[in-house]
Amino acid sequence: MNKDLKYLDTQLPEDIAKLKAVGEYDRVERIIDKRLEKDLPVALRKRLEQEKEILPIIRDSYPHTYEAALSLFKDNIADFKTEEFESLRDEDALDWVYLDGEIHFRENILQNIMKTRPNYAKRCTNPELLDKRTNLLNETMHKMKEKGELTYHIRLRATLKVKPEAQKPGEKIRVHLPLPIEYAQVKNFRLIDTSHKSALVNEPDHPARTVYFEKEYEADEEFYVEYEFDNHMVYKNPLPEEVDEAQPTFYTEEQLPHIKFSPYIKSVAKEIIGNETNPLEKARLIYEYITKNVMYSFVRPYYTITDIPTYALTGFKGDCGIQALTFITLCRAVGVPARWQAGLYTNPETIGNHDWAQFYVAPFGWLYADTSFGGSAYRTGEEERWKFYFGNLEPFRMPAVSDFQHDFTPALDFSRNDPYDNQNGEAEFESGKLTYNDIETTEVAIEIYEKED
């Protein structure tokens, strides 16, 4: 299915775009169905077919009415006023859309404000909403610098279940669960257990590596994989004067629909780097621009955004993946090789989805850039940690994807919930797809500990 993603670059017809903007999704779907009965160019047909997949995802992503969203803030922030809510709307800090002519907000808008606005976090009356990672990150960074390297042993278990209302006993089901790619920082991978012994395990270097199950589904069945690996990180401090004159050209190409060198992207890239010719400094300037100017923000599923870097560089907001892909696109636009790396962020206290980037400068090889972690450090005045995440990562990562929008092997028959990434797994029945609302996925860290040299 991923081969059709390039058609998202095709512009929607004006009438459909206008109706979508005001949230008349039922009418949009009716009009699309009528258009698809006509003889259309392939690119437009594929674009309209994908729009029918996108619309219900958007509808599900914005559950809160204005009144419900405002109540969330008043219930969790001391002395919160309606005027403050409106001010946050003016700042574009509260993600929203129109659904049937009425404004609706994302389900995690409150968590987003707690993560990015320290002044509101100080007034928060719910400790569960606050980020507690700062001390651990600083301690780990300092240890990496002192020792020159750091290794953590990580053992994880990932599970996928179909919710009762979506189950189809007796029908064939196909399930993909992520596995760490055995490259870069991943060492000593070992597959410990799978729920079904007939599982297919992708090659160690597969760019979207998974364990795959295909079988006749049984009621209340659970699919799981358990594995362990070492995450080994070496601290690097690359210097501009040590950069080789000759540089590679791999990973500098466009990749539609998102990694494209539009006039706007090329213009922004040129403004950022100016007359700089050193590839390390080009990448550093891009990193600094994103971390200083693009505010972290939870966003709706990526499948609903048809040009991710432009979304970030016109609205100046975006989550970890939005920022990482923007960094990659800008780097490639100025000739610096860059690629995707994504999977899980998992430390002894928490586990969750995360995306970041790699860029290549000879003679240093592949270096890391985590613009969202770097941006968080910059906003809180943690300059040392801000600089650390240009070139380095801490060893709390499980990389499951090394190439943006790479397809599964074997590919699914229906469109994926996230055709660009894979952090929690995907599933489908033979008769149709299973959406995020149809499945439950969990990741559990069984053990995480630092390994001694």
Side-chain angles (χ1 to χ4, degrees), residues 105-320:
F105 295 87
R106 287 278 282 144
E107 77 276 4
N108 50 15
I109 54 169
L110 180 60
Q111 293 90 327
N112 192 66
I113 296 302
M114 295 302 100
K115 186 180 181 69
T116 59
R117 267 67 173 186
N119 56 323
Y120 286 110
K122 290 178 182 178
R123 294 163 54 191
C124 181
T125 57
N126 183 354
E128 296 300 317
L129 295 171
L130 302 177
D131 192 343
K132 307 177 182 68
R133 296 177 302 185
T134 301
N135 290 339
L136 177 63
L137 292 177
N138 284 338
E139 291 169 5
T140 306
M141 172 186 66
H142 291 143
K143 186 174 288 188
M144 270 187 66
K145 287 184 171 184
E146 292 166 6
K147 298 179 63 174
E149 58 185 344
L150 197 60
T151 300
Y152 264 75
H153 180 77
I154 300 174
R155 181 171 176 174
L156 300 176
R157 182 186 178 99
T159 303
L160 184 147
K161 298 178 182 178
V162 181
K163 294 181 180 179
E165 61 272 19
Q167 294 182 11
K168 298 178 181 179
E171 186 172 326
K172 183 184 290 184
I173 191 171
R174 306 180 184 97
V175 177
H176 282 278
L177 287 174
L179 288 176
I181 306 172
E182 296 179 58
Y183 83 131
Q185 64 268 59
V186 174
K187 312 294 181 187
N188 304 321
F189 169 82
R190 185 169 74 94
L191 183 64
I192 296 172
D193 192 19
T194 60
S195 56
H196 302 75
K197 301 310 173 187
S198 59
L200 169 67
V201 179
N202 285 162
E203 293 297 313
D205 61 349
H206 192 287
R209 193 183 187 199
T210 66
V211 56
Y212 174 73
F213 307 93
E214 181 178 317
K215 67 179 298 291
E216 186 177 288
Y217 181 73
E218 300 172 33
D220 299 321
E221 193 167 10
E222 177 180 281
F223 298 86
Y224 68 80
V225 60
E226 187 175 324
Y227 55 85
E228 64 182 2
F229 66 97
D230 293 336
N231 187 311
H232 177 69
M233 295 301 309
V234 177
Y235 176 70
K236 294 186 178 181
N237 183 27
L239 300 175
E241 58 269 24
E242 296 176 357
V243 170
D244 288 347
E245 184 175 345
Q247 294 291 325
T249 58
F250 51 65
Y251 288 99
T252 56
E253 70 278 4
E254 293 181 290
Q255 187 178 352
L256 296 178
H258 299 288
I259 304 176
K260 60 182 178 182
F261 308 148
S262 66
Y264 182 67
I265 291 295
K266 289 191 288 187
S267 174
V268 173
K270 179 59 179 174
E271 286 185 40
I272 293 172
I273 68 166
N275 296 321
E276 184 60 66
T277 59
N278 187 301
L280 180 64
E281 291 304 285
K282 287 181 183 179
R284 190 189 308 276
L285 288 168
I286 291 168
Y287 172 83
E288 292 181 355
Y289 183 87
I290 293 173
T291 53
K292 289 180 178 180
N293 294 285
V294 180
M295 174 66 77
Y296 187 92
S297 176
F298 297 128
V299 299
R300 62 186 183 270
Y302 293 171
Y303 191 23
T304 68
I305 304 172
T306 56
D307 186 343
I308 286 174
T310 300
Y311 174 94
L313 293 173
T314 54
F316 295 96
K317 65 177 184 180
D319 67 1
C320 55

Side-chain angles (χ1 to χ4, degrees), residues 349-395:
E349 299 176 4
T350 186
I351 185 169
N353 298 344
H354 193 46
D355 306 322
W356 57 97
Q358 289 184 290
F359 64 100
Y360 192 99
V361 178
F364 312 114
W366 285 108
L367 302 167
Y368 297 96
D370 191 324
T371 46
S372 61
F373 272 42
S376 175
Y378 177 80
R379 289 192 302 273
T380 55
E382 298 273 0
E383 184 175 356
E384 183 182 6
R385 196 167 78 247
W386 174 53
K387 292 181 178 179
F388 172 82
Y389 280 110
F390 177 76
N392 296 281
L393 296 177
E394 83 300 310

Side-chain angles (χ1 to χ4, degrees), residues 26 30 32 34 108 218 233 280 329 340 353 424 437:
D26 292 340
R30 291 201 305 272
I32 288 177
K34 291 180 179 179
N108 50 15
E218 300 172 33
M233 295 301 309
L280 180 64
T329 302
W340 185 256
N353 298 344
N424 308 111
N437 291 331

